[in-house]
Amino acid sequence: MKVIGVIPGKKESAHIIDVDKPEISSSEVRVKVLRVGICGTDHEIDQGLYGEAPEGEDFLILGHESLGIVEETGRDVKGFEKGDMVVSTVRRPCPENCLNCRSGENDMCLTGNFKERGIKSLHGFMAEYYKEIPEYLVKIPEELSDVGVLLEPLSIVEKAIMQTFKIQERMKWKPKTALVLGAGPIGLLATFVLRDMGINTYTLALDSIDSKKARLVMESGASYIDSTKEPIPELGEKLGNIDFILEATGSSTVSFQAMDILGINGVLALTGITGGDKKLEVDADRLNLSLVLGNKLIFGSVNANITYFRKGVKHMQNFEVKWPGLLSKLISRKVVFEDFKEALLRKKDDIKVIIEIGK
Ligand code: BGC
């Protein structure tokens, strides 16, 4: 079968490789891949900045955002059958099987020796087929076949938001105003989840008010802010007490600006992965004082375990009822398998680019 692999550490090394179709054991499932999504992490891996091949191999099959169809199940597999549409989670437990990994929360792995499909020490889903054990597979209802490939990025948002609500059990908390920084897939998906929860949401990005991203934000009932016209430091006054901020621009400068406008008892969730080594001068005394006196909380969030994928399926179903067709508009470009290099190029107006693999 054909797969798209990279040589980790080597710039723009993605190429098509012929490998054997995976054989399954009695406890595994073989999945035929329909499509995969491309995200910033895939770009970084293709640029040679990130990514590790499985032990003993010199290439890594890319891809961690997928949608596929069960092609065959091992005889001991329960709960899945041929024809089921599925998405696989990304992270797998560390060899030490730390407290969190053995408790089903490998997204909170303590050792850092976890593996991630398509990213770190495990092959991904840019392949005609992959195999997996059922505990990492999530069933996707038929009506979500066009958008199911967005479940992995949505799981990242689900984790950040569900954890925020858990953390805020420290008091009675009824968030009224949320600010989402960034209108890429994570920012837009966060906007939809917050709107689905009935929270007054503002989403900010660099694009103009008549851009496609702004339209998608507004279609969900959120307000769009063009940050070239209304810079972040001015928003504290304009929006009143900001209860929740989700940072999804991938800029550490923006993260620090966000700390400064967070409201009383507010939470700032950081999801952007910033690979550089930027230094900033910060207004340390004032920032510290406002965080302490305002009971404010800042936390980072990465990856997601299967609980968040399952929550994401429910939200996708809600989105389709509330705003039919809106979610599918996030898929801005579809590329066929042979043109994968096109998919790995960043183009203006891209939101989510996907590679069509099977039917
Ligand atoms: C993926 C996460 C992963 C992270 C770090 C992100 O793009 O969505 O699942 O944990 O990269 O490797």
Side-chain angles (χ1 to χ4, degrees), residues 12 49 56 75 113 158 166 168 191 229 242 262 271:
E12 289 168 12
L49 302 171
R75 64 175 184 279
N113 297 329
E158 297 290 355
K166 271 203 157 171
Q168 292 297 73
T191 304
K229 303 233 161 63
I242 308 177
L262 188 61
T271 67

Side-chain angles (χ1 to χ4, degrees), residues 35-39 43 65 146-147 149-150 183-185 188 207 211-213 215-216 325-336 342-343 345-356:
R35 51 192 77 103
V36 290
I38 308 277
C39 87
H43 287 287
E65 300 181 2
D146 286 344
V147 293
V149 70
L150 298 170
L188 289 170
D207 306 59
S211 63
K212 179 177 175 189
K213 286 181 179 175
R215 273 201 309 281
L216 297 182
L326 179 59
L327 201 49
S328 69
K329 293 185 192 163
L330 260 63
I331 300 173
S332 51
R333 202 149 60 86
K334 294 181 184 171
V335 168
V336 294
E342 276 289 302
L345 289 178
R346 287 182 197 259
K347 297 199 176 166
K348 195 180 166 287
D349 299 328
D350 273 348
I351 301 177
K352 176 59 70 188
V353 178
I354 61 167
I355 304 181
E356 298 280 7

Side-chain angles (χ1 to χ4, degrees), residues 221-270:
S223 306
Y224 181 78
I225 301 174
D226 171 351
S227 64
T228 66
K229 303 233 161 63
E230 295 184 272
I232 296 171
E234 290 169 18
L235 295 179
E237 240 170 75
K238 175 178 165 163
L239 307 187
N241 198 69
I242 308 177
D243 301 299
F244 176 58
I245 306 182
L246 188 137
E247 201 295 315
T249 66
S251 155
S252 52
T253 308
V254 168
S255 298
F256 278 84
Q257 288 177 331
M259 289 174 203
D260 216 20
I261 58 166
L262 188 61
I264 303 283
N265 296 343
V267 177
L268 164 60
L270 305 175

Side-chain angles (χ1 to χ4, degrees), residues 39-42 50 64-65 90-91 114 116 119-120 152-153 155-156 186 273 302-304 309:
C39 87
T41 304
D42 299 306
Y50 200 56
H64 60 279
E65 300 181 2
V90 178
R91 198 176 276 193
F114 57 81
E116 288 182 336
I119 303 175
K120 188 175 180 272
E152 195 279 339
S155 73
I156 303 294
I186 299 290
I273 294 174
V302 70
N303 192 255
F309 280 73

Side-chain angles (χ1 to χ4, degrees), residues 1 21-24 28-36 66-74 80-89 117 124-134 136-138 140 357-359:
M1 66 165 186
K21 185 172 168 177
E23 296 283 339
I24 55 167
E28 290 173 322
V29 172
R30 184 168 49 232
V31 178
K32 181 175 197 283
V33 180
L34 297 177
R35 51 192 77 103
V36 290
S66 68
L67 179 72
I69 282 197
V70 172
E71 195 215 35
E72 195 185 340
T73 56
F80 287 90
E81 56 186 52
K82 188 173 157 74
D84 283 345
M85 212 178 318
V86 290
V87 167
S88 170
T89 64
R117 295 206 62 159
F125 311 118
M126 280 191 203
E128 288 177 87
Y129 301 91
Y130 70 87
K131 64 173 181 176
E132 193 44 272
I133 53 169
Y136 297 123
L137 295 175
V138 184
I140 306 297
I357 299 187
K359 280 201 179 77

